[in-house]
Amino acid sequence: MADFPHTLAAMPTTRRPGCPFDPPEELIEARARSPISRFPFPDGHQGWLVTGYDLTRAILADPRFSSRRELMKHHPTIDFGDIEVPPAPPGEFLLMDEPQHSRYRKPLVGKFTVRRMRLLTERVEQITAEHLDAMEQAGPAADLVTAFAKPIPAVVICELLGVPYEDRAFFQENVDKFLGGEASDEEVMAAYLATQRYLAELVAAKRANPTDDVLSDLLDSDLTDEELQGMALILLSAGFDTTANMLALGTFALLQNPDQLAALRDDPALTDQAVEELLRYLSVAKQFFRVALEDVELAGQTIEAGTMVILSLNTANRDPERFPDPHALDLRRRDGGHLAFSHGVHQCLGQQLARVEMRVAFPALFDRFPTLRLAVPAEEVPLRPEAADIYGVKSLPVTWDAATVPPGV
Ligand code: HEM
């Protein structure tokens, strides 16, 4: 192939007009040329962009590729210059390799199993119903992001971590600022520091007075308070914005695909499959990075030690060699194996929780508001910029016919 390896000159900044759910065209084209492309980072580093499904999955499972933060010296859209990137703080295991990573992940695994998360279903149903009640009373119009998509995962994570009820508003406000993608850099930093301080106080409070929650459960281990604080921060940052964006963008996608929404309404048994397909189709956690620890031969290329690799999960999840007709939202799809929760040692720890939240929240929303629809033309729904870590909508104005809300609900 004359132009192999293909080079992607820069990260695309927008999606094709009218296609808010598809990865940017440049990434789809890059994958069509080859599963791996050269990618020159803005600071001059010659890295790689991986877009093919098989290759992405292989790299995610390969211990020769690192997640360590201090090795991530380059950014796909920002020139860091000579700034030294420090290692991840204690407990922030998403950006660590073995054996440090396991020190923190292992004690948490048992707390996020399918069985433990299923036990939470009833509580998630209650939380969802409360938010739907409030939305209905304030309606018949709402911003689905603030009324539904953000508060439901926020309340769930607060309860899991044991954030006292009276602190919820402060906590949610700060978390939303530092993860919500809407605040200025200064606001993000202030909210991040406030959340860190809050979590330090929370861990100290649990030490003094343990309660029934994930943090208190870990107090008997040899983990220090600083480590517990870092773990809490990771649970929070990985679990809140992702699920919130899936709920909002997923609702938008279903409203834009009325035949699929009708199929889901007609057959509630389709819910689990529908959630998996929405995860694949939307892949809101769209890209992650790895660094080669040694020279690695893959797909006919040598990925040199120290080189950064961008793994485009959303493009890999649209690979036609893995998913026939990949750009169609098909809730009856049975292909399985999407990479929306990643793969390998860092595969999402909270995936069973996210599944419970989505399996409860989507059907409950469409049951409560059978005539739910966009309140603005689809092209006016404000999208998050491509630069945001997690993709989604900034707001989702919706409306419904008040009379069609089932009586007594
Ligand atoms: C739909 C919602 C979610 C999506 C799409 C998602 C996606 C992901 C992805 C792609 C990763 C792997 C990153 C990598 O390979 O480097 C990850 C890791 C992680 N997620 Fe999720 N996530 C979601 C919800 C949650 C929830 C609800 C929680 C829990 C509270 C959670 C906790 C975590 C944690 C702790 C990690 C780090 C795992 C590790 O490094 O070992 N996530 N998530």
Side-chain angles (χ1 to χ4, degrees), residues 55 84 88 97 105 168 178 180 183 195 250 293-294 306 338 348 369 387:
L55 196 55
E84 278 288 308
D97 293 343
R105 180 165 171 132
R168 296 268 165 87
F178 95 79
T195 306
L293 293 171
E294 55 185 86
H338 64 71
C348 181
F369 303 110

Side-chain angles (χ1 to χ4, degrees), residues 60 93-94 101 105 112 157 234-235 238-239 242-243 246 279 284-285 288 290 313 340-342 345-350 353-354 357-358:
L60 286 169
F93 57 102
L94 176 70
H101 168 257
R105 180 165 171 132
F112 287 91
I157 202 83
I234 279 295
L235 287 174
T242 43
T243 315
M246 270 305 299
L279 282 160
V284 296
F288 284 88
R290 296 291 189 266
L313 300 189
F341 288 127
S342 187
V345 292
H346 290 280
Q347 189 178 42
C348 181
L349 177 80
L353 173 59
E357 293 181 272
M358 289 184 281

Side-chain angles (χ1 to χ4, degrees), residues 93-255:
F93 57 102
L94 176 70
L95 299 172
M96 293 179 181
D97 293 343
E98 303 311 331
Q100 291 86 350
H101 168 257
S102 278
R103 168 171 171 77
Y104 304 116
R105 180 165 171 132
K106 262 205 186 128
L108 286 170
V109 170
K111 315 211 174 300
F112 287 91
T113 56
V114 177
R115 200 182 63 82
R116 288 285 280 264
M117 292 305 115
R118 288 225 175 105
L119 292 175
L120 273 183
T121 304
E122 212 175 300
R123 183 65 194 125
V124 175
E125 283 168 356
Q126 282 168 359
I127 294 168
T128 304
E130 283 163 21
H131 286 88
L132 291 174
D133 289 346
M135 192 170 138
E136 189 187 330
Q137 275 157 25
D143 169 15
L144 199 89
V145 172
T146 48
F148 175 83
K150 277 184 178 172
I152 293 172
V155 173
V156 172
I157 202 83
C158 278
E159 292 197 355
L160 266 176
L161 290 178
V163 173
Y165 189 80
E166 59 275 17
D167 295 347
R168 296 268 165 87
F170 165 85
F171 184 79
Q172 271 179 44
E173 196 182 305
N174 279 297
V175 170
D176 195 29
K177 265 205 194 118
F178 95 79
L179 292 174
E182 294 299 301
S184 68
D185 287 353
E186 292 73 33
E187 284 172 331
V188 167
M189 189 42 85
Y192 173 77
L193 293 175
T195 306
Q196 260 196 336
R197 272 197 306 274
Y198 178 80
L199 289 174
E201 283 166 21
L202 185 67
V203 170
K206 299 286 166 197
R207 235 343 132 216
N209 185 15
T211 39
D212 182 16
D213 52 65
V214 168
L215 271 186
S216 300
D217 283 359
L218 294 173
L219 293 173
D220 280 344
S221 64
D222 66 344
L223 294 159
T224 65
D225 285 9
E226 198 189 3
E227 289 176 312
L228 289 173
Q229 182 194 324
M231 290 162 75
L233 193 76
I234 279 295
L235 287 174
L236 191 68
S237 10
F240 165 62
D241 202 36
T242 43
T243 315
N245 279 291
M246 270 305 299
L247 290 175
L249 197 64
T251 302
F252 185 19
L254 288 168
L255 291 175

Side-chain angles (χ1 to χ4, degrees), residues 4 6 23 26-38 48-61 286 298-299 303 309-323 326 337-339 343:
F4 191 80
H6 161 68
E26 295 89 332
L27 295 181
I28 294 176
E29 273 169 17
R31 198 223 55 82
R33 286 170 191 255
S34 59
I36 181 165
S37 308
R38 286 248 68 146
W48 296 94
L49 167 78
V50 176
T51 48
Y53 176 92
D54 288 341
L55 196 55
T56 302
R57 199 167 186 277
I59 292 176
L60 286 169
K286 56 194 164 61
L298 273 181
I303 302 180
V309 180
I310 304 169
L311 300 169
S312 178
L313 300 189
N314 58 346
T315 316
N317 274 337
R318 297 292 188 96
D319 184 340
E321 288 174 24
R322 178 64 179 74
F323 302 102
H338 64 71
L339 298 173
H343 179 65

